[in-house]
Amino acid sequence: MQNSEPLPQDASDQFLIQRYKDGNTEAFDALYRRHLPKVYKRIRCVIPEGDVEDVTQEIFIAALKSLSTFRGDAQFGTWLRALTNHKVAEFYRRRGRKQEPLLAPLSGASAQATGGAPKIMEDRIILQRAFQNLPENYREVILLRFAEDMQFNEIAEHTRQNLEAVKSLFRRAVAALRNQLEQ
Amino acid sequence: MIMQRQIETQKDDRLADFTDRLLGGETTPTASNSDEELLSLEKTLLRLNHVLPSAQLEEARVEQMLARLKARVKREEEERAARPSFWRRLFDFQSNPQAGLLIGVAAAILLLVVFPWVSLTDPGVTGTAGAGSAGTSAGVNLFVGVGVALFLLALYWISRRK
C-alpha cells in the first residue's frame, strides 16, 4: 500500500509532492512543517502582526488546492515563495480597497495582544509600508537575506545573477529603503 | 571610470560584509563618519534588523497551526459538499417560487418566439381568402395555449411534491 508507507525524514519536496498526489495526505503535513517557518517569517516582515497567521494559512490552503496540478517546473520553495508574494499583494489590494488606516494595529490592545512593544510595532508597520513601496526586486533581495537567511552567494544562485550584481542590487535596495523611511 | 567602479564595488562588498556580521550578532556600524552614505545604509540595516521579528516558530506552534489548517480545510470541504448544486437550487421551487414563475414565463415567451405565428389574442377575420388559414392558426393557438398551461401546471405540481 503506497499511501500508508512511512515517509522518510529526508524526503525531497518532489518526493513528498508525488506522495501527496498519490493520496498520502501526510506528505502535505511534512511539506507544511518544512516550509512554514520560512513562509511565516517572511509574512511577519511584510504583514501587520494581527493578520500574519490568517495570510499564512491562506497561502498554504492555496498551495494545497493547486498542489495536484504542480508540475515541478520550478522548485517547490520557489513556487511557494511566488505564491506568498502573490498573497501579500492581494492582502494589500484588499486592504487598500477597504481604506483601512495602515497604523490600525497600533491600537494598544492590538500591540499588547501580539506581545510586541508598541514602539517596535510602530516601527515595523512603518517599515512594512516602506517595503510595499519598493520595487519588487529590491524588496525581494532584502527579504531573501533577512527573512530567509540566505547568504549572498545563495541569493546569486537562486536569482541566477553573479555575486557582484547581487551585492550591488542589495546596496541599491537598502538605499531605496532608507529613502522611503526618510519620507 | 574604472576607478569609480572599483569604489562602488568596494562599497557593495563592505555593506554585504556588514550585513553578514549584523545577522551574525554584531550590532555596531563599521563605516567611518567620512563615508556618510555607507554609514547611513548601515544604520538603515541596524534599524531593519532591530524591527524585523527574529524569533523562530516553536514546534508546538507549528503543530497548532497545522491542526487549524486541517480543520479549516475540512470545514470548507463539508460546506462545499452540503451546498446544493446550481441546478438543484434553480429548480428548488419550494424555497424559491419566484424562480419557478420566472421559468414558466420564460418558457411561454420562448414558445412564442419559436412559433411566431402563434398569437394569444384572437386575430379576427381579415378576409375571405385567409379564412382557411385563420382556422388553422386558431387551432395551433389553442394547442400551444393548452401546452403552456399544462407546463405551468406541471411546474406547480413538481414544486408541491417536494
Side-chain angles (χ1 to χ4, degrees):
Chain A
M1 288 288 283
Q2 197 178 29
N3 290 350
S4 55
E5 277 177 21
L7 298 161
Q9 287 283 323
D10 57 348
S12 69
D13 287 349
Q14 202 55 46
F15 176 86
L16 292 173
I17 291 165
Q18 194 50 53
R19 279 295 148 93
Y20 175 74
K21 285 180 179 177
D22 294 340
N24 186 338
T25 54
E26 280 180 22
F28 180 79
D29 298 356
L31 280 170
Y32 184 86
R33 289 187 188 101
R34 182 177 292 174
H35 290 276
L36 176 68
K38 274 185 184 175
V39 170
Y40 189 77
K41 195 172 178 190
R42 176 179 270 257
I43 291 294
R44 278 190 85 190
C45 290
V46 291
I47 295 279
E49 194 70 30
D51 296 305
V52 169
E53 191 165 330
D54 279 348
V55 176
T56 306
Q57 299 290 55
E58 290 286 334
I59 290 162
F60 280 97
I61 285 176
L64 186 63
K65 282 178 182 167
S66 38
L67 203 56
S68 52
T69 56
F70 178 73
R71 289 179 305 176
D73 295 341
Q75 285 187 351
F76 179 70
T78 308
W79 179 74
L80 195 60
R81 191 178 293 120
L83 189 60
T84 302
N85 288 343
H86 174 74
K87 287 287 173 189
V88 169
E90 194 179 276
F91 170 83
Y92 279 102
R93 258 200 315 276
R94 276 205 309 255
R95 195 184 182 117
R97 274 206 295 271
K98 283 189 193 167
Q99 298 287 312
E100 283 177 26
L102 196 61
L103 294 180
L106 280 181
S107 61
S110 166
Q112 280 168 11
T114 53
K119 179 74 182 86
I120 287 192
M121 294 302 291
E122 187 175 337
D123 243 19
R124 192 180 292 169
I125 289 165
I126 291 167
L127 193 74
Q128 286 167 346
R129 179 160 47 185
F131 261 138
Q132 290 314 306
N133 291 329
L134 288 182
E136 198 182 337
N137 57 341
Y138 285 2
R139 187 169 55 232
E140 195 59 26
V141 74
I142 293 175
L143 286 175
L144 287 174
R145 186 67 191 94
F146 275 82
E148 298 201 21
D149 238 356
M150 271 192 184
Q151 299 295 320
F152 284 106
N153 58 345
E154 290 172 329
I155 297 173
E157 198 178 323
H158 169 70
T159 57
R160 294 183 184 147
Q161 289 180 300
N162 64 48
L163 185 58
E164 203 175 286
V166 168
K167 286 180 179 175
S168 171
L169 176 69
F170 181 74
R171 185 159 73 95
R172 281 181 279 131
V174 177
L177 181 65
R178 177 198 58 195
N179 295 341
Q180 282 290 333
L181 291 171
E182 282 171 359
Q183 276 176 15
Chain B
M1 186 71 181
I2 294 171
M3 188 74 171
Q4 181 61 33
R5 194 171 167 175
Q6 277 178 342
I7 291 170
E8 292 298 316
T9 306
Q10 275 176 3
K11 282 185 178 179
D12 295 341
D13 286 339
R14 282 176 64 188
L15 193 69
D17 290 344
F18 173 75
T19 307
D20 291 342
R21 283 198 301 277
L22 178 66
L23 292 173
E26 198 177 301
T27 55
T28 45
T30 55
S32 66
N33 286 333
S34 59
D35 195 339
E36 275 185 31
E37 199 227 340
L38 205 55
L39 189 64
S40 73
L41 294 182
E42 287 185 357
K43 283 180 178 171
T44 303
L45 288 175
L46 279 168
R47 184 178 172 186
L48 186 68
N49 192 46
H50 177 64
V51 169
L52 290 185
S54 54
Q56 296 293 321
L57 265 180
E58 289 171 11
E59 204 174 310
R61 186 80 200 282
V62 173
E63 292 307 317
Q64 198 182 39
M65 286 180 72
L66 179 58
R68 274 193 214 138
L69 180 86
K70 283 177 165 179
R72 186 172 156 183
V73 170
K74 193 178 169 193
R75 198 174 56 239
E76 282 183 9
E77 276 173 4
E78 282 170 357
E79 279 173 8
R80 205 171 29 247
R83 198 185 307 147
S85 72
F86 171 78
W87 294 110
R88 203 180 170 87
R89 272 181 287 151
L90 186 69
F91 289 102
D92 184 8
F93 302 134
Q94 193 78 16
S95 58
N96 195 8
Q98 293 95 333
L101 189 66
L102 203 69
I103 289 170
V105 170
I109 291 171
L110 189 72
L111 278 172
L112 290 173
V113 170
V114 173
F115 305 106
W117 62 87
V118 172
S119 168
L120 291 178
T121 57
D122 184 7
V125 180
T126 51
T128 50
S133 66
T136 314
S137 175
V140 173
N141 271 358
L142 186 68
F143 176 73
V144 172
V146 168
V148 170
L150 282 175
F151 179 74
L152 290 174
L153 267 173
L155 280 178
Y156 178 72
W157 181 69
I158 290 167
S159 69
R160 293 282 294 174
R161 264 185 71 196
K162 284 186 178 175

